[in-house]
Amino acid sequence: MITEHAKHWLTQALANIDALPAMPAIALKLMALKLDSAAGEAQLMTLVEQDPQISAKLISLANSPSIGLARKVCSVGEASVLLGLDRVKAVALGIAVISNFPQLPGSQNFAPQDLWLHSLTIAIAMHTLSLSMPEHLRPQHDQIYLAGLLHDIGYMAIHYLDNAASNELHHQLRLQPKRPVMEIELQTLGASHCYIGAQLARQWSLPEEIVTVLGYHHDPYVDQIAANNPLVRLVNLAEKLLPNFGITEYCGNEIGEHEWRALGIAPEKADELRDNINELAIQAAQIADVF
């Protein structure tokens, strides 16, 4: 049940959505960049190398155990060889968008750093899951990382719009750790982080498949467009495999065989994938400070 307070909050939030930060200039350039020529590849390297924050985070990701490199990467050029230019572009775009929010103060119940850890880990988990998918169903690596990094950007938008409401929301999520996150959000705010995030993504003209991920990753089968988007199902499955990692956000932990089969993954591989992803989550926490 949506309370009158929640209805009022939603009305105010939607009225103020234009007050959210605009898409950063570097993100706009990255989105427009084509990597089908030597000139485009060189421009990507130039854009990334000119931004110290993006450069440091890319190098840190390339050195993470989840990538599995035997030697240490020390430059953006080396990271691009390891990760691939498409993934470098996607990760750089995701970092640029996330970092575009001012360094907001945390609250008693929510810290942006925890959300970044969660998002990075989900992206890595999605990549791991995708390797077990048949090639004809598997999304591109760049889409996987961008979707994983941005899927919960709605929480940052809520935090930016109303720090007190964000604090209350995450307080309620901690008080009711086994209650579905969207039920609590609707009662507390009148809208979910999925809805707010999708509105922001549309305002920023992000790709439509990413907008769909933001809007439906907690209910991937409610809409046919979402159900046919493997990125949405990948995020949903990854979050069920990593319950409450980084942030408190209950989305159920029962995974039916049909959910594995929808991604073309044999259910018999579930236990092995779960163990691998839990190990990667621990490793991701070791590089989270850079993010």
Side-chain angles (χ1 to χ4, degrees):
M1 178 180 177
I2 300 177
T3 66
E4 288 301 317
H5 173 77
K7 291 178 182 177
H8 176 72
W9 185 90
L10 177 58
T11 300
Q12 292 296 112
L14 294 179
N16 292 329
I17 199 126
D18 288 339
L20 289 166
M23 176 71 85
I26 187 172
L28 291 171
K29 292 177 182 178
L30 286 165
M31 284 178 61
L33 196 59
K34 304 295 183 185
L35 300 180
D36 53 2
S37 68
E41 294 174 6
Q43 191 175 357
L44 173 63
M45 290 295 96
T46 298
L47 282 172
V48 171
E49 289 171 343
Q50 287 177 345
D51 190 301
Q53 183 173 208
I54 292 177
S55 297
K57 291 174 179 177
L58 274 170
I59 292 170
S60 179
L61 177 62
N63 282 315
S64 70
S66 62
I67 301 299
L69 190 67
R71 63 183 179 84
K72 186 174 178 62
V73 168
C74 299
S75 70
V76 170
E78 289 179 313
S80 69
V81 171
L82 175 63
L83 299 173
L85 291 174
D86 286 331
R87 201 178 341 176
V88 166
K89 176 183 173 182
V91 173
L93 177 56
I95 294 169
V97 170
I98 292 172
S99 302
N100 188 45
F101 284 90
Q103 290 299 310
L104 297 173
S107 64
Q108 183 179 359
N109 298 297
F110 175 74
Q113 178 67 20
D114 294 339
L115 178 61
W116 294 357
L117 167 61
H118 171 78
S119 301
L120 173 64
T121 308
I122 292 299
I124 293 172
M126 290 170 64
H127 171 69
T128 302
L129 289 168
S130 74
L131 297 178
S132 295
M133 295 173 64
E135 191 171 347
H136 71 281
L137 291 178
R138 186 187 306 152
Q140 297 297 312
H141 291 316
D142 57 335
Q143 292 182 318
I144 290 170
Y145 272 84
L146 187 58
L149 287 172
L150 298 186
H151 76 281
D152 271 344
I153 198 71
Y155 284 127
M156 289 294 286
I158 293 169
H159 192 62
Y160 183 90
L161 287 168
D162 191 334
N163 187 286
S166 171
N167 187 48
E168 177 60 20
L169 169 62
H170 289 280
H171 175 60
Q172 292 300 323
L173 291 174
R174 290 185 179 187
L175 281 180
Q176 306 173 74
K178 295 300 183 182
R179 184 181 176 194
V181 55
M182 292 182 68
E183 284 186 12
I184 296 175
E185 288 181 313
L186 290 176
Q187 184 174 356
T188 306
L189 303 178
S192 68
H193 69 284
C194 303
Y195 178 77
I196 297 294
Q199 294 302 308
L200 178 59
R202 287 195 179 92
Q203 180 172 298
W204 281 348
S205 300
L206 287 173
E208 193 58 37
E209 63 268 18
I210 301 300
V211 175
T212 303
V213 167
L214 269 63
Y216 292 99
H217 62 273
H218 280 296
D219 203 350
Y221 299 100
V222 71
D223 182 278
Q224 187 171 357
I225 294 175
N228 291 332
N229 184 335
L231 286 170
V232 179
R233 300 196 298 271
L234 269 175
V235 174
N236 184 260
L237 191 58
E239 291 207 304
K240 288 181 177 179
L241 290 169
L242 293 169
N244 299 329
F245 190 87
I247 58 174
T248 300
E249 182 192 39
Y250 182 73
C251 49
N253 50 20
E254 294 295 327
I255 302 174
E257 288 193 1
H258 70 282
E259 295 178 78
W260 294 103
R261 296 190 191 282
L263 293 171
I265 301 175
E268 306 86 70
K269 300 187 69 173
D271 289 341
E272 178 186 353
L273 284 169
R274 189 186 300 271
D275 290 343
N276 289 344
I277 286 171
N278 284 333
E279 179 62 29
L280 289 173
I282 295 170
Q283 295 170 356
Q286 297 171 5
I287 65 168
D289 287 343
V290 180
F291 276 74

